[in-house]
Amino acid sequence: MNTTELFPETETWNIDKLISDINGVRNKYGKGEISPTHQDYLCGALVGYNPKDISRKLGLSGDGKSVRTAFSMEINPYVRELLDYPEELNNSMSWQRACVLLEKTGYKNYELSSQSQDVSGETNNKEIEIIDFNSELEQNNSYENSYLDTNIYIERPPIEEKCLKAILQPGALIRIKAPQKMGKTLLLEKMLNYAREQGYETAKLDLKLADKSVLTDLKTFLQWLCSYVSDVLEKSPDLDKYWQDSLGINNSCTRYFQRYLLAKIDTPLVLAIDNFERLFTCENIFSDFCLLLRNWYETAKQSDRMGKVWKKIRLVVVNSTEVYPTLDINRSPFNVGLAIDLPEFNQNQVEEMASKYQLNGHLGDEGIIKLMTIIGGHPYLIQEAIYNFKSQEISIESLLNLAPTESGIFSYHLGQLLESLQADSQLEAAYKQVVTASETAQLNPKTTFKLHSLGLVKIIGNDCVPSCDLYRQYFSMFLN
């Protein structure tokens, strides 16, 4: 039964837009999209059902505690931010007040709402109850503690120490590489925060958010880069003065940074580029931009006036795969500087994560070993499992038994990966070979890198295996 059948009153709300906007806020904090189950919770709450009634409508057991907790941690904080509600009132905002504000903000379809009234003019909707979805948070110490799941960072020594030392080095180039959802962006934010504490300027470009129009050609891309960094540094873009096509596109960009941006600041600048892999398929940008970054890095080594200027910059490049587009080794930024490969969590780090959720005593060594047997040390999967173990009244055995199914806590994540595979028949066939192999499977390098980027395989020499037993179980069923 779909949401509309469960809660027919939601037809008066623009649910798709609301969920899309909530996902936009969640993405800012490194959270994935709101799950289908939590979408059902949201729909029920919008039309006045309390947590216990939502549980009953969805066929869940219990008194609604799991709905209340999940709503408070996975939906309400992001709705508050979406509404830009005054910070001092954030913790006390009732859901009734949130519904009123959402309606005023334009998420209610007034035409359909008026059609839902009966002949007497009274609405058929349930009266919206004042539901305090924050009470569960207060019982768990504070809003900040419950919201910590979006900001929890588990260190993987000596990686953090290396990165923080490197960011202090004049002209540094730091390359962070790992599959999706391994914590690259959290590490990057930790580095940028540290740099700001040192008084450095920082500019972060997330290429995943770049408009397609920006990626049409090299000139458009580099002028966007110049304008973006100018804006971050609170300087008016001045391309007309410093950009000269007769000098070449890369030279014009270098000239703009050297004579305008770097020359005007007294402190170092950290320029971070996240999701760099988006450029891998931009043949008219990738190679020349890589050469540009390599030249900036090499120029910073010089002892002349130009070298002194370029020593101010620190470059951080973050990507999800090996670099499979062909590059001359002398033109590449991917074989110089400090290379960081983020590994999975080890058992001690998983125990630390459980401790952050005050669960280390409940899980114990045996529970953690069982957890890691099926999902390994994958940071995202570990955190999702631990969070759900705490927020739902479920045993670790039940949680893990359901994990590779459509009823499991990873169903949305697994479904997204399945869609990615099914969108590319060759990739789908290759991964089917991996999950059904008795040992390892050998694929062509480009396919291996794509699967590794998605986090679906571990590379062993020239071969690959499923990243974890969860993936092997799920995809061996659904790819067959």
Side-chain angles (χ1 to χ4, degrees), residues 87-233:
E87 183 64 30
E88 66 272 13
L89 299 178
N90 257 357
N91 291 344
S92 60
M93 182 175 72
S94 72
W95 183 245
Q96 182 191 44
R97 176 63 176 154
C99 287
V100 172
L101 291 174
L102 287 169
E103 185 172 339
K104 289 181 177 180
T105 308
Y107 292 103
K108 192 72 175 284
N109 187 325
Y110 287 101
E111 182 178 349
L112 287 176
S113 181
S114 63
Q115 293 172 2
S116 71
Q117 294 181 340
D118 60 23
V119 177
S120 66
E122 296 179 353
T123 180
N124 291 324
N125 287 2
K126 286 171 58 69
E127 179 182 352
I128 294 182
E129 174 188 350
I130 298 178
I131 306 169
D132 180 13
F133 280 94
N134 294 306
S135 62
E136 188 72 25
L137 302 183
E138 294 167 3
Q139 295 170 15
N140 291 325
N141 298 324
S142 69
Y143 163 76
E144 286 79 7
N145 285 340
S146 67
Y147 196 61
L148 187 64
D149 66 308
T150 61
N151 298 300
I152 285 176
Y153 185 85
I154 305 297
E155 292 197 357
R156 284 168 268 191
I159 286 172
E160 290 77 15
E161 183 181 2
K162 285 184 176 181
C163 289
L164 299 186
K165 282 184 177 180
I167 210 75
L168 302 177
Q169 301 304 311
L173 171 58
I174 304 166
R175 299 177 284 112
I176 302 172
K177 177 175 65 66
Q180 293 178 12
K181 297 183 180 293
M182 286 288 288
K184 301 183 298 298
T185 300
L186 283 176
L187 173 59
L188 175 60
E189 291 299 333
K190 184 178 181 71
M191 294 166 61
L192 293 176
N193 287 335
Y194 180 73
R196 295 182 194 110
E197 290 172 0
Q198 313 310 309
Y200 291 7
E201 298 282 1
T202 63
K204 175 188 171 185
L205 280 78
D206 187 346
L207 293 181
K208 184 185 289 184
L209 304 179
D211 295 342
K212 289 182 179 179
S213 60
V214 168
L215 305 177
T216 54
D217 58 74
L218 183 65
K219 181 178 178 180
T220 302
F221 175 72
L222 292 184
Q223 288 192 338
W224 169 75
L225 171 67
C226 292
S227 298
Y228 181 88
V229 177
S230 298
D231 185 64
V232 170
L233 297 179

Side-chain angles (χ1 to χ4, degrees), residues 120-361:
S120 66
E122 296 179 353
T123 180
N124 291 324
N125 287 2
K126 286 171 58 69
E127 179 182 352
I128 294 182
E129 174 188 350
I130 298 178
I131 306 169
D132 180 13
F133 280 94
N134 294 306
S135 62
E136 188 72 25
L137 302 183
E138 294 167 3
Q139 295 170 15
N140 291 325
N141 298 324
S142 69
Y143 163 76
E144 286 79 7
N145 285 340
S146 67
Y147 196 61
L148 187 64
D149 66 308
T150 61
N151 298 300
I152 285 176
Y153 185 85
I154 305 297
E155 292 197 357
R156 284 168 268 191
I159 286 172
E160 290 77 15
E161 183 181 2
K162 285 184 176 181
C163 289
L164 299 186
K165 282 184 177 180
I167 210 75
L168 302 177
Q169 301 304 311
L173 171 58
I174 304 166
R175 299 177 284 112
I176 302 172
K177 177 175 65 66
Q180 293 178 12
K181 297 183 180 293
M182 286 288 288
K184 301 183 298 298
T185 300
L186 283 176
L187 173 59
L188 175 60
E189 291 299 333
K190 184 178 181 71
M191 294 166 61
L192 293 176
N193 287 335
Y194 180 73
R196 295 182 194 110
E197 290 172 0
Q198 313 310 309
Y200 291 7
E201 298 282 1
T202 63
K204 175 188 171 185
L205 280 78
D206 187 346
L207 293 181
K208 184 185 289 184
L209 304 179
D211 295 342
K212 289 182 179 179
S213 60
V214 168
L215 305 177
T216 54
D217 58 74
L218 183 65
K219 181 178 178 180
T220 302
F221 175 72
L222 292 184
Q223 288 192 338
W224 169 75
L225 171 67
C226 292
S227 298
Y228 181 88
V229 177
S230 298
D231 185 64
V232 170
L233 297 179
E234 298 182 344
K235 299 180 182 297
S236 299
D238 200 356
L239 290 166
D240 290 340
K241 181 176 180 179
Y242 294 98
W243 191 282
Q244 293 185 11
D245 284 337
S246 60
L247 295 176
I249 297 173
N250 270 6
N251 284 337
S252 290
C253 182
T254 297
R255 188 171 190 264
Y256 186 89
F257 267 78
Q258 183 175 309
R259 296 194 178 188
Y260 183 52
L261 296 180
L262 296 177
K264 304 287 185 181
I265 58 175
D266 298 322
T267 59
L269 166 66
V270 180
L271 176 59
I273 307 173
D274 200 2
N275 292 297
F276 195 92
E277 67 274 3
R278 189 171 179 199
L279 295 183
F280 288 0
T281 56
C282 300
E283 296 179 1
N284 54 345
I285 296 175
F286 177 74
S287 179
D288 286 325
F289 184 54
C290 285
L291 175 61
L292 178 71
L293 296 181
R294 177 64 179 263
N295 285 343
W296 288 358
Y297 172 76
E298 297 295 346
T299 303
K301 294 180 179 180
Q302 298 173 188
S303 57
D304 57 8
R305 180 179 59 83
M306 288 179 60
K308 184 177 180 181
V309 173
W310 284 97
K311 281 179 172 62
K312 293 181 182 180
I313 204 164
R314 282 83 164 132
L315 297 171
V316 185
V317 176
V318 183
N319 62 282
S320 293
T321 67
E322 296 282 358
V323 188
Y324 58 77
T326 303
L327 276 177
D328 185 320
I329 61 171
N330 297 311
R331 297 168 60 95
S332 174
F334 294 100
N335 57 354
V336 293
L338 174 65
I340 297 293
D341 285 296
L342 276 183
E344 292 188 341
F345 288 157
N346 59 34
Q347 185 171 336
N348 289 337
Q349 290 154 358
V350 175
E351 289 172 357
E352 184 181 350
M353 174 72 77
S355 177
K356 295 280 188 181
Y357 281 91
Q358 301 175 341
L359 273 179
N360 46 334

